[in-house]
Short mmCIF file of all heavy atoms in Angstrom, two decimals:
data_model
loop_
_atom_site.label_atom_id
_atom_site.label_comp_id
_atom_site.label_asym_id
_atom_site.label_seq_id
_atom_site.Cartn_x
_atom_site.Cartn_y
_atom_site.Cartn_z
N MET L 1 31.81 -38.86 63.17
CA MET L 1 32.95 -38.13 62.65
C MET L 1 32.90 -38.15 61.18
O MET L 1 33.03 -37.07 60.51
CB MET L 1 34.31 -38.78 63.17
CG MET L 1 35.48 -38.02 62.73
SD MET L 1 35.52 -36.26 63.46
CE MET L 1 36.76 -35.57 62.45
N GLY L 2 32.60 -39.25 60.60
CA GLY L 2 32.52 -39.38 59.10
C GLY L 2 31.40 -38.53 58.66
O GLY L 2 31.44 -37.86 57.46
N LYS L 3 30.29 -38.46 59.43
CA LYS L 3 29.09 -37.61 59.00
C LYS L 3 29.43 -36.16 59.04
O LYS L 3 29.06 -35.41 58.13
CB LYS L 3 28.00 -37.89 59.96
CG LYS L 3 26.62 -37.77 59.36
CD LYS L 3 25.59 -38.45 60.28
CE LYS L 3 24.29 -38.38 59.57
NZ LYS L 3 23.20 -39.07 60.43
N LEU L 4 30.23 -35.75 60.03
CA LEU L 4 30.62 -34.37 60.20
C LEU L 4 31.48 -33.95 58.91
O LEU L 4 31.28 -32.91 58.28
CB LEU L 4 31.38 -34.10 61.41
CG LEU L 4 31.84 -32.65 61.66
CD1 LEU L 4 30.61 -31.71 61.87
CD2 LEU L 4 32.81 -32.49 62.82
N LEU L 5 32.39 -34.76 58.59
CA LEU L 5 33.28 -34.54 57.43
C LEU L 5 32.45 -34.37 56.13
O LEU L 5 32.72 -33.54 55.32
CB LEU L 5 34.30 -35.66 57.31
CG LEU L 5 35.49 -35.40 56.44
CD1 LEU L 5 36.38 -34.29 57.06
CD2 LEU L 5 36.39 -36.70 56.31
N PHE L 6 31.53 -35.35 56.06
CA PHE L 6 30.57 -35.31 54.90
C PHE L 6 29.91 -34.02 54.74
O PHE L 6 29.82 -33.32 53.68
CB PHE L 6 29.57 -36.37 54.98
CG PHE L 6 28.39 -36.36 53.97
CD1 PHE L 6 28.68 -36.73 52.63
CD2 PHE L 6 27.16 -35.86 54.29
CE1 PHE L 6 27.65 -36.63 51.74
CE2 PHE L 6 26.15 -35.78 53.40
CZ PHE L 6 26.42 -36.16 52.13
N TRP L 7 29.36 -33.40 55.84
CA TRP L 7 28.60 -32.18 55.84
C TRP L 7 29.53 -30.96 55.58
O TRP L 7 29.17 -30.01 54.88
CB TRP L 7 27.80 -32.01 57.06
CG TRP L 7 26.53 -32.78 57.07
CD1 TRP L 7 26.28 -33.85 57.88
CD2 TRP L 7 25.45 -32.66 56.12
NE1 TRP L 7 25.12 -34.39 57.54
CE2 TRP L 7 24.52 -33.65 56.49
CE3 TRP L 7 25.22 -31.83 55.13
CZ2 TRP L 7 23.34 -33.87 55.75
CZ3 TRP L 7 24.01 -31.93 54.41
CH2 TRP L 7 23.09 -32.97 54.78
N ILE L 8 30.81 -31.06 56.04
CA ILE L 8 31.75 -30.01 55.77
C ILE L 8 32.07 -29.95 54.26
O ILE L 8 32.10 -28.88 53.71
CB ILE L 8 33.07 -30.20 56.55
CG1 ILE L 8 32.81 -29.88 58.07
CG2 ILE L 8 34.11 -29.34 56.10
CD1 ILE L 8 33.84 -30.33 59.03
N ILE L 9 32.20 -31.16 53.64
CA ILE L 9 32.51 -31.24 52.22
C ILE L 9 31.31 -30.70 51.41
O ILE L 9 31.45 -29.90 50.46
CB ILE L 9 32.87 -32.64 51.79
CG1 ILE L 9 34.18 -33.02 52.41
CG2 ILE L 9 32.87 -32.88 50.34
CD1 ILE L 9 34.57 -34.49 52.36
N VAL L 10 30.05 -31.11 51.85
CA VAL L 10 28.80 -30.58 51.12
C VAL L 10 28.74 -29.08 51.26
O VAL L 10 28.49 -28.40 50.21
CB VAL L 10 27.57 -31.27 51.82
CG1 VAL L 10 26.23 -30.56 51.28
CG2 VAL L 10 27.49 -32.72 51.45
N ALA L 11 28.97 -28.56 52.38
CA ALA L 11 28.94 -27.05 52.59
C ALA L 11 29.99 -26.40 51.64
O ALA L 11 29.71 -25.40 51.00
CB ALA L 11 29.19 -26.68 54.10
N PHE L 12 31.18 -26.97 51.59
CA PHE L 12 32.24 -26.39 50.80
C PHE L 12 31.87 -26.42 49.25
O PHE L 12 32.05 -25.44 48.61
CB PHE L 12 33.49 -27.26 51.01
CG PHE L 12 34.72 -26.73 50.19
CD1 PHE L 12 35.42 -25.62 50.60
CD2 PHE L 12 35.11 -27.44 49.07
CE1 PHE L 12 36.53 -25.19 49.83
CE2 PHE L 12 36.19 -27.03 48.28
CZ PHE L 12 36.85 -25.91 48.71
N ILE L 13 31.28 -27.45 48.84
CA ILE L 13 30.84 -27.62 47.44
C ILE L 13 29.80 -26.61 47.11
O ILE L 13 29.79 -25.95 46.05
CB ILE L 13 30.42 -29.06 47.18
CG1 ILE L 13 31.64 -30.06 47.16
CG2 ILE L 13 29.69 -29.13 45.79
CD1 ILE L 13 31.28 -31.49 47.10
N VAL L 14 28.79 -26.47 48.03
CA VAL L 14 27.72 -25.46 47.86
C VAL L 14 28.22 -24.04 47.78
O VAL L 14 27.94 -23.33 46.83
CB VAL L 14 26.71 -25.66 48.96
CG1 VAL L 14 25.72 -24.40 48.92
CG2 VAL L 14 25.90 -26.91 48.82
N LEU L 15 29.12 -23.75 48.70
CA LEU L 15 29.77 -22.35 48.66
C LEU L 15 30.50 -22.20 47.37
O LEU L 15 30.50 -21.08 46.73
CB LEU L 15 30.72 -22.23 49.87
CG LEU L 15 30.05 -21.96 51.16
CD1 LEU L 15 31.07 -22.02 52.27
CD2 LEU L 15 29.32 -20.62 51.17
N LEU L 16 31.21 -23.16 46.87
CA LEU L 16 31.98 -23.10 45.71
C LEU L 16 31.10 -22.80 44.46
O LEU L 16 31.33 -21.99 43.55
CB LEU L 16 32.81 -24.32 45.46
CG LEU L 16 33.99 -24.28 44.51
CD1 LEU L 16 35.15 -23.44 45.09
CD2 LEU L 16 34.54 -25.72 44.22
N ALA L 17 29.90 -23.59 44.40
CA ALA L 17 28.96 -23.48 43.32
C ALA L 17 28.38 -22.00 43.33
O ALA L 17 28.29 -21.44 42.28
CB ALA L 17 27.91 -24.50 43.48
N VAL L 18 27.94 -21.57 44.54
CA VAL L 18 27.40 -20.18 44.58
C VAL L 18 28.38 -19.16 44.14
O VAL L 18 28.05 -18.27 43.36
CB VAL L 18 26.99 -19.93 46.07
CG1 VAL L 18 26.70 -18.45 46.27
CG2 VAL L 18 25.80 -20.76 46.45
N ARG L 19 29.65 -19.33 44.53
CA ARG L 19 30.67 -18.38 44.11
C ARG L 19 30.92 -18.44 42.56
O ARG L 19 31.00 -17.42 42.00
CB ARG L 19 32.00 -18.84 44.80
CG ARG L 19 32.84 -17.72 45.16
CD ARG L 19 34.23 -18.20 45.62
NE ARG L 19 35.17 -17.25 45.47
CZ ARG L 19 35.72 -16.45 46.42
NH1 ARG L 19 35.28 -16.56 47.59
NH2 ARG L 19 36.69 -15.61 46.19
N LEU L 20 30.92 -19.67 41.98
CA LEU L 20 31.13 -19.71 40.52
C LEU L 20 29.89 -19.05 39.81
O LEU L 20 30.22 -18.35 38.78
CB LEU L 20 31.16 -21.29 40.17
CG LEU L 20 32.54 -21.89 40.38
CD1 LEU L 20 32.57 -23.38 40.04
CD2 LEU L 20 33.70 -21.22 39.56
N VAL L 21 28.68 -19.41 40.23
CA VAL L 21 27.53 -18.83 39.55
C VAL L 21 27.61 -17.26 39.64
O VAL L 21 27.38 -16.51 38.75
CB VAL L 21 26.24 -19.36 40.07
CG1 VAL L 21 25.02 -18.59 39.60
CG2 VAL L 21 26.13 -20.84 39.73
N GLY L 22 27.97 -16.80 40.83
CA GLY L 22 27.95 -15.31 41.04
C GLY L 22 28.99 -14.68 40.24
O GLY L 22 28.67 -13.59 39.57
N SER L 23 30.22 -15.20 40.16
CA SER L 23 31.26 -14.57 39.32
C SER L 23 30.89 -14.66 37.82
O SER L 23 31.22 -13.76 37.03
CB SER L 23 32.59 -15.16 39.63
OG SER L 23 32.69 -16.42 39.15
N ALA L 24 30.32 -15.74 37.39
CA ALA L 24 29.93 -15.84 36.05
C ALA L 24 28.89 -14.81 35.64
O ALA L 24 28.93 -14.17 34.53
CB ALA L 24 29.33 -17.29 35.73
N GLN L 25 27.87 -14.56 36.43
CA GLN L 25 26.90 -13.51 36.26
C GLN L 25 27.56 -12.10 36.23
O GLN L 25 27.16 -11.36 35.44
CB GLN L 25 25.82 -13.63 37.37
CG GLN L 25 24.80 -14.72 37.05
CD GLN L 25 23.76 -14.88 38.13
OE1 GLN L 25 23.98 -14.31 39.24
NE2 GLN L 25 22.69 -15.61 37.86
N ALA L 26 28.48 -11.91 37.17
CA ALA L 26 29.15 -10.58 37.19
C ALA L 26 29.92 -10.36 35.95
O ALA L 26 29.89 -9.27 35.46
CB ALA L 26 30.02 -10.50 38.44
N ARG L 27 30.55 -11.40 35.47
CA ARG L 27 31.33 -11.25 34.25
C ARG L 27 30.44 -10.92 33.07
O ARG L 27 30.76 -10.17 32.25
CB ARG L 27 32.21 -12.56 33.99
CG ARG L 27 33.18 -12.35 32.86
CD ARG L 27 34.24 -13.47 32.84
NE ARG L 27 33.65 -14.75 33.03
CZ ARG L 27 33.96 -15.67 33.98
NH1 ARG L 27 34.84 -15.21 34.87
NH2 ARG L 27 33.48 -16.78 34.02
N LYS L 28 29.37 -11.66 32.94
CA LYS L 28 28.34 -11.50 31.91
C LYS L 28 27.86 -10.06 31.87
O LYS L 28 27.80 -9.34 30.90
CB LYS L 28 27.19 -12.47 32.09
CG LYS L 28 26.56 -12.91 30.76
CD LYS L 28 25.36 -13.78 30.96
CE LYS L 28 25.77 -15.15 31.54
NZ LYS L 28 24.57 -15.97 31.80
N ARG L 29 27.53 -9.58 33.10
CA ARG L 29 27.01 -8.16 33.25
C ARG L 29 28.03 -7.18 32.82
O ARG L 29 27.75 -6.17 32.06
CB ARG L 29 26.56 -7.94 34.70
CG ARG L 29 25.58 -6.80 34.94
CD ARG L 29 24.89 -6.89 36.20
NE ARG L 29 25.85 -7.20 37.31
CZ ARG L 29 25.66 -8.23 38.26
NH1 ARG L 29 24.66 -8.99 38.13
NH2 ARG L 29 26.49 -8.38 39.17
N ARG L 30 29.33 -7.40 33.26
CA ARG L 30 30.34 -6.51 32.95
C ARG L 30 30.58 -6.43 31.42
O ARG L 30 30.75 -5.38 30.79
CB ARG L 30 31.58 -6.95 33.61
CG ARG L 30 32.60 -5.77 33.90
CD ARG L 30 33.67 -6.16 34.83
NE ARG L 30 34.32 -7.48 34.56
CZ ARG L 30 34.46 -8.42 35.37
NH1 ARG L 30 34.03 -8.40 36.57
NH2 ARG L 30 35.01 -9.58 34.98
N ASP L 31 30.52 -7.67 30.77
CA ASP L 31 30.73 -7.67 29.29
C ASP L 31 29.62 -6.91 28.54
O ASP L 31 29.91 -6.16 27.65
CB ASP L 31 30.73 -9.13 28.81
CG ASP L 31 32.04 -9.85 29.22
OD1 ASP L 31 32.93 -9.23 29.65
OD2 ASP L 31 32.10 -11.14 29.07
N ARG L 32 28.36 -7.14 29.09
CA ARG L 32 27.29 -6.40 28.39
C ARG L 32 27.37 -4.88 28.56
O ARG L 32 27.24 -4.17 27.57
CB ARG L 32 25.96 -6.92 29.00
CG ARG L 32 24.82 -6.70 28.14
CD ARG L 32 23.49 -7.09 28.77
NE ARG L 32 23.35 -6.48 30.07
CZ ARG L 32 22.94 -7.12 31.21
NH1 ARG L 32 22.45 -8.36 31.14
NH2 ARG L 32 22.86 -6.44 32.32
N ASP L 33 27.91 -4.47 29.74
CA ASP L 33 28.02 -2.99 30.06
C ASP L 33 29.16 -2.42 29.09
O ASP L 33 28.89 -1.38 28.54
CB ASP L 33 28.30 -2.71 31.47
CG ASP L 33 27.06 -2.97 32.36
OD1 ASP L 33 26.01 -3.23 31.82
OD2 ASP L 33 27.31 -2.98 33.59
N ALA L 34 30.18 -3.10 28.93
CA ALA L 34 31.35 -2.75 28.11
C ALA L 34 30.82 -2.69 26.73
O ALA L 34 31.13 -1.67 26.00
CB ALA L 34 32.44 -3.71 28.32
N ALA L 35 30.13 -3.64 26.22
CA ALA L 35 29.70 -3.58 24.82
C ALA L 35 28.75 -2.41 24.56
O ALA L 35 28.91 -1.75 23.47
CB ALA L 35 28.95 -4.90 24.50
N GLN L 36 27.93 -2.09 25.48
CA GLN L 36 27.02 -0.91 25.37
C GLN L 36 27.77 0.34 25.36
O GLN L 36 27.45 1.30 24.66
CB GLN L 36 25.98 -0.88 26.48
CG GLN L 36 24.67 -1.67 26.11
CD GLN L 36 23.69 -1.60 27.16
OE1 GLN L 36 23.93 -1.26 28.29
NE2 GLN L 36 22.48 -2.04 26.86
N ARG L 37 28.85 0.40 26.21
CA ARG L 37 29.57 1.62 26.24
C ARG L 37 30.36 1.86 24.98
O ARG L 37 30.45 2.99 24.55
CB ARG L 37 30.56 1.57 27.45
CG ARG L 37 31.00 2.95 27.94
CD ARG L 37 31.68 2.87 29.25
NE ARG L 37 32.66 1.80 29.41
CZ ARG L 37 32.53 0.72 30.21
NH1 ARG L 37 31.50 0.64 30.92
NH2 ARG L 37 33.45 -0.20 30.22
N VAL L 38 30.84 0.79 24.36
CA VAL L 38 31.60 0.96 23.14
C VAL L 38 30.69 1.35 21.99
O VAL L 38 31.00 2.31 21.25
CB VAL L 38 32.36 -0.31 22.81
CG1 VAL L 38 32.89 -0.35 21.35
CG2 VAL L 38 33.51 -0.57 23.76
N THR L 39 29.61 0.69 21.76
CA THR L 39 28.74 0.90 20.69
C THR L 39 27.80 2.13 20.93
O THR L 39 27.64 2.99 20.11
CB THR L 39 27.91 -0.29 20.29
OG1 THR L 39 27.12 -0.68 21.31
CG2 THR L 39 28.86 -1.37 19.77
N GLY L 40 27.16 2.17 22.07
CA GLY L 40 26.18 3.16 22.33
C GLY L 40 25.00 3.18 21.45
O GLY L 40 24.85 2.23 20.69
N PRO L 41 24.06 4.10 21.62
CA PRO L 41 22.87 4.07 20.70
C PRO L 41 23.28 4.33 19.27
O PRO L 41 24.12 5.10 19.00
CB PRO L 41 22.02 5.20 21.31
CG PRO L 41 22.91 6.10 22.06
CD PRO L 41 24.05 5.24 22.50
N MET L 42 22.53 3.70 18.33
CA MET L 42 22.79 4.00 16.96
C MET L 42 21.85 4.96 16.33
O MET L 42 20.71 4.98 16.71
CB MET L 42 22.68 2.61 16.16
CG MET L 42 23.58 1.54 16.71
SD MET L 42 25.39 1.80 16.38
CE MET L 42 25.40 1.31 14.65
N VAL L 43 22.33 5.80 15.41
CA VAL L 43 21.48 6.77 14.66
C VAL L 43 21.63 6.57 13.30
O VAL L 43 22.63 5.89 12.84
CB VAL L 43 21.83 8.19 15.16
CG1 VAL L 43 21.39 8.47 16.54
CG2 VAL L 43 23.26 8.52 14.87
N ARG L 44 20.77 7.06 12.43
CA ARG L 44 20.81 6.95 10.95
C ARG L 44 21.13 8.25 10.30
O ARG L 44 20.57 9.31 10.68
CB ARG L 44 19.42 6.52 10.46
CG ARG L 44 19.49 6.04 9.10
CD ARG L 44 18.11 5.41 8.70
NE ARG L 44 18.28 4.80 7.40
CZ ARG L 44 17.21 4.44 6.59
NH1 ARG L 44 16.05 4.51 7.16
NH2 ARG L 44 17.41 3.95 5.41
N CYS L 45 22.01 8.22 9.35
CA CYS L 45 22.37 9.41 8.63
C CYS L 45 21.16 9.81 7.77
O CYS L 45 20.66 8.96 7.04
CB CYS L 45 23.61 9.14 7.70
SG CYS L 45 24.00 10.47 6.58
N THR L 46 20.77 10.99 7.85
CA THR L 46 19.55 11.47 7.14
C THR L 46 19.84 11.69 5.64
O THR L 46 18.89 11.72 4.81
CB THR L 46 19.04 12.85 7.67
OG1 THR L 46 20.04 13.84 7.64
CG2 THR L 46 18.46 12.62 9.12
N LYS L 47 21.14 11.69 5.21
CA LYS L 47 21.47 11.90 3.79
C LYS L 47 21.63 10.49 3.11
O LYS L 47 21.00 10.33 2.08
CB LYS L 47 22.69 12.67 3.68
CG LYS L 47 23.10 13.00 2.31
CD LYS L 47 23.19 14.50 2.03
CE LYS L 47 23.61 14.77 0.65
NZ LYS L 47 23.74 16.17 0.42
N CYS L 48 22.58 9.61 3.60
CA CYS L 48 22.79 8.42 2.87
C CYS L 48 22.14 7.20 3.56
O CYS L 48 22.11 6.07 3.03
CB CYS L 48 24.34 8.15 2.76
SG CYS L 48 25.13 7.86 4.30
N GLY L 49 21.63 7.39 4.78
CA GLY L 49 20.84 6.24 5.44
C GLY L 49 21.69 5.22 6.17
O GLY L 49 21.17 4.28 6.71
N VAL L 50 22.98 5.44 6.33
CA VAL L 50 23.89 4.49 6.97
C VAL L 50 23.64 4.64 8.44
O VAL L 50 23.41 5.79 8.96
CB VAL L 50 25.41 4.74 6.60
CG1 VAL L 50 25.90 5.92 7.26
CG2 VAL L 50 26.16 3.49 6.91
N PHE L 51 23.76 3.56 9.20
CA PHE L 51 23.66 3.62 10.67
C PHE L 51 25.01 3.75 11.27
O PHE L 51 25.92 3.06 10.79
CB PHE L 51 22.94 2.30 11.24
CG PHE L 51 21.49 2.33 11.03
CD1 PHE L 51 20.90 1.80 9.82
CD2 PHE L 51 20.64 2.93 11.90
CE1 PHE L 51 19.56 1.76 9.66
CE2 PHE L 51 19.24 2.98 11.71
CZ PHE L 51 18.75 2.37 10.55
N LEU L 52 25.14 4.61 12.30
CA LEU L 52 26.50 4.74 12.97
C LEU L 52 26.23 5.07 14.39
O LEU L 52 25.19 5.48 14.80
CB LEU L 52 27.27 5.80 12.28
CG LEU L 52 26.76 7.26 12.30
CD1 LEU L 52 27.90 8.23 12.06
CD2 LEU L 52 25.62 7.58 11.29
N PRO L 53 27.30 4.84 15.17
CA PRO L 53 27.12 5.21 16.69
C PRO L 53 26.92 6.71 16.84
O PRO L 53 27.40 7.53 16.09
CB PRO L 53 28.50 4.86 17.24
CG PRO L 53 29.08 3.84 16.31
CD PRO L 53 28.60 4.30 14.95
N LYS L 54 25.98 7.00 17.74
CA LYS L 54 25.63 8.42 17.97
C LYS L 54 26.82 9.25 18.24
O LYS L 54 26.85 10.41 17.88
CB LYS L 54 24.57 8.44 19.12
CG LYS L 54 23.82 9.83 19.22
CD LYS L 54 22.72 9.72 20.25
CE LYS L 54 22.13 10.99 20.46
NZ LYS L 54 21.03 11.00 21.47
N ALA L 55 27.81 8.68 18.96
CA ALA L 55 29.03 9.44 19.35
C ALA L 55 29.76 9.86 18.07
O ALA L 55 30.49 10.91 18.12
CB ALA L 55 29.89 8.60 20.23
N ASP L 56 29.70 9.11 17.06
CA ASP L 56 30.42 9.48 15.78
C ASP L 56 29.61 10.34 14.79
O ASP L 56 30.12 10.78 13.73
CB ASP L 56 30.83 8.21 15.01
CG ASP L 56 31.87 7.38 15.85
OD1 ASP L 56 32.45 7.95 16.74
OD2 ASP L 56 32.02 6.15 15.56
N ALA L 57 28.31 10.52 15.10
CA ALA L 57 27.51 11.24 14.18
C ALA L 57 27.56 12.75 14.41
O ALA L 57 27.94 13.24 15.47
CB ALA L 57 26.00 10.79 14.43
N VAL L 58 27.16 13.51 13.35
CA VAL L 58 27.17 14.99 13.44
C VAL L 58 25.73 15.38 13.54
O VAL L 58 24.95 15.12 12.63
CB VAL L 58 27.86 15.61 12.24
CG1 VAL L 58 27.87 17.10 12.28
CG2 VAL L 58 29.29 15.04 12.09
N PRO L 59 25.31 16.06 14.68
CA PRO L 59 23.87 16.42 14.69
C PRO L 59 23.63 17.58 13.74
O PRO L 59 24.42 18.51 13.69
CB PRO L 59 23.75 16.82 16.19
CG PRO L 59 25.07 17.07 16.74
CD PRO L 59 26.12 16.30 15.85
N VAL L 60 22.45 17.50 13.06
CA VAL L 60 22.08 18.59 12.21
C VAL L 60 20.61 18.84 12.53
O VAL L 60 20.01 18.20 13.35
CB VAL L 60 22.17 18.17 10.67
CG1 VAL L 60 23.70 18.11 10.37
CG2 VAL L 60 21.47 16.94 10.31
N ALA L 61 19.99 19.87 11.85
CA ALA L 61 18.60 20.30 12.20
C ALA L 61 17.65 19.22 12.05
O ALA L 61 16.76 19.03 12.87
CB ALA L 61 18.29 21.50 11.26
N ASP L 62 17.80 18.30 10.95
CA ASP L 62 16.74 17.31 10.82
C ASP L 62 17.18 15.94 11.27
O ASP L 62 16.56 14.93 10.92
CB ASP L 62 16.35 17.28 9.32
CG ASP L 62 17.55 17.02 8.45
OD1 ASP L 62 18.74 17.21 8.92
OD2 ASP L 62 17.42 16.61 7.33
N GLY L 63 18.20 15.82 12.10
CA GLY L 63 18.69 14.55 12.60
C GLY L 63 20.19 14.41 12.75
O GLY L 63 20.72 15.32 13.36
N TYR L 64 20.75 13.33 12.15
CA TYR L 64 22.20 13.16 12.31
C TYR L 64 22.68 12.84 10.88
O TYR L 64 22.07 12.38 10.00
CB TYR L 64 22.52 11.99 13.24
CG TYR L 64 22.13 12.28 14.69
CD1 TYR L 64 20.88 11.96 15.16
CD2 TYR L 64 23.10 12.92 15.52
CE1 TYR L 64 20.58 12.26 16.53
CE2 TYR L 64 22.77 13.20 16.74
CZ TYR L 64 21.58 12.91 17.28
OH TYR L 64 21.23 13.14 18.61
N ARG L 65 23.99 13.16 10.74
CA ARG L 65 24.72 12.86 9.52
C ARG L 65 26.01 12.08 9.87
O ARG L 65 26.55 12.24 10.86
CB ARG L 65 25.15 14.20 8.73
CG ARG L 65 24.03 15.05 8.30
CD ARG L 65 23.47 14.57 6.96
NE ARG L 65 22.35 15.42 6.54
CZ ARG L 65 22.32 16.55 5.83
NH1 ARG L 65 23.51 17.06 5.58
NH2 ARG L 65 21.26 17.07 5.54
N CYS L 66 26.34 11.24 8.99
CA CYS L 66 27.67 10.49 9.13
C CYS L 66 28.84 11.39 8.76
O CYS L 66 28.59 12.61 8.35
CB CYS L 66 27.68 9.18 8.24
SG CYS L 66 27.70 9.50 6.50
N ARG L 67 29.94 11.00 8.84
CA ARG L 67 31.16 11.88 8.55
C ARG L 67 31.71 11.79 7.15
O ARG L 67 32.75 12.28 6.93
CB ARG L 67 32.25 11.57 9.56
CG ARG L 67 31.87 11.94 11.00
CD ARG L 67 33.02 11.95 11.97
NE ARG L 67 32.59 12.28 13.30
CZ ARG L 67 32.51 13.54 13.74
NH1 ARG L 67 32.84 14.55 12.98
NH2 ARG L 67 32.09 13.79 15.00
N GLU L 68 30.88 11.26 6.29
CA GLU L 68 31.30 11.23 4.81
C GLU L 68 31.26 12.72 4.31
O GLU L 68 30.34 13.41 4.67
CB GLU L 68 30.35 10.39 4.04
CG GLU L 68 30.44 8.84 4.16
CD GLU L 68 31.85 8.44 3.64
OE1 GLU L 68 32.22 8.81 2.56
OE2 GLU L 68 32.55 7.61 4.32
N PRO L 69 32.26 13.04 3.52
CA PRO L 69 32.25 14.47 3.05
C PRO L 69 31.01 14.82 2.33
O PRO L 69 30.51 15.99 2.46
CB PRO L 69 33.47 14.52 2.08
CG PRO L 69 34.35 13.34 2.64
CD PRO L 69 33.45 12.30 3.07
N ALA L 70 30.42 13.91 1.59
CA ALA L 70 29.20 14.21 0.86
C ALA L 70 27.95 14.46 1.79
O ALA L 70 26.98 15.11 1.34
CB ALA L 70 28.88 13.11 -0.17
N CYS L 71 28.09 13.90 2.92
CA CYS L 71 26.92 13.99 3.84
C CYS L 71 27.02 15.14 4.82
O CYS L 71 25.97 15.59 5.36
CB CYS L 71 26.79 12.70 4.66
SG CYS L 71 26.43 11.22 3.60
N LEU L 72 28.20 15.59 5.06
CA LEU L 72 28.40 16.59 6.09
C LEU L 72 27.60 17.92 5.61
O LEU L 72 27.72 18.23 4.48
CB LEU L 72 29.84 16.91 6.30
CG LEU L 72 30.55 15.85 7.22
CD1 LEU L 72 32.06 16.13 7.23
CD2 LEU L 72 30.02 15.90 8.61
N PRO L 73 27.00 18.61 6.50
CA PRO L 73 26.34 19.86 6.11
C PRO L 73 27.43 20.82 5.70
O PRO L 73 28.48 20.90 6.24
CB PRO L 73 25.51 20.27 7.38
CG PRO L 73 26.26 19.65 8.52
CD PRO L 73 26.81 18.30 7.89
N PRO L 74 27.15 21.80 4.69
CA PRO L 74 28.04 22.82 4.33
C PRO L 74 28.29 23.79 5.51
O PRO L 74 27.33 24.20 6.21
CB PRO L 74 27.32 23.52 3.12
CG PRO L 74 25.88 23.25 3.32
CD PRO L 74 25.85 21.85 4.00
N SER L 75 29.59 24.08 5.70
CA SER L 75 29.89 24.93 6.85
C SER L 75 30.46 26.26 6.42
O SER L 75 31.02 26.34 5.36
CB SER L 75 30.88 24.29 7.83
OG SER L 75 31.99 23.76 7.05
ZN1 ZN X 1 25.83 9.72 5.33
#
């Protein structure tokens, strides 16, 4: 009887450990995905050379420009 109880406790601890490791990995993966979604790929302004997220950049013929008035192409 004592031996059975021992194995039940061992199985419980193993299951708990597997669960903890799995949720930690899932959280890490989710954090990394969220960080990538927020920043996205970076591009360089062809005029002033500043790096900015591609989503905030203005595409021009020779690359990307930042949104500084001096860098924006004349419209
Ligand atoms: Zn610029």
Side-chain angles (χ1 to χ4, degrees):
M1 186 60 197
K3 210 167 184 172
L4 181 67
L5 197 65
F6 170 77
W7 283 114
I8 288 171
I9 291 169
V10 167
F12 180 75
I13 290 169
V14 167
L15 283 174
L16 199 70
V18 166
R19 213 188 155 104
L20 281 176
V21 169
S23 71
Q25 282 177 343
R27 187 164 49 239
K28 210 183 290 176
R29 197 164 45 234
R30 205 168 49 233
D31 286 353
R32 201 185 51 219
D33 289 351
Q36 268 181 348
R37 200 166 46 248
V38 167
T39 58
M42 301 293 279
V43 293
R44 192 174 188 195
C45 174
T46 53
K47 183 121 179 184
C48 68
V50 76
F51 283 93
L52 68 158
K54 195 174 179 180
D56 293 341
V58 180
V60 292
D62 58 343
Y64 292 93
R65 296 276 175 88
C66 68
R67 292 189 182 275
E68 285 295 314
C71 295
L72 284 173
S75 52

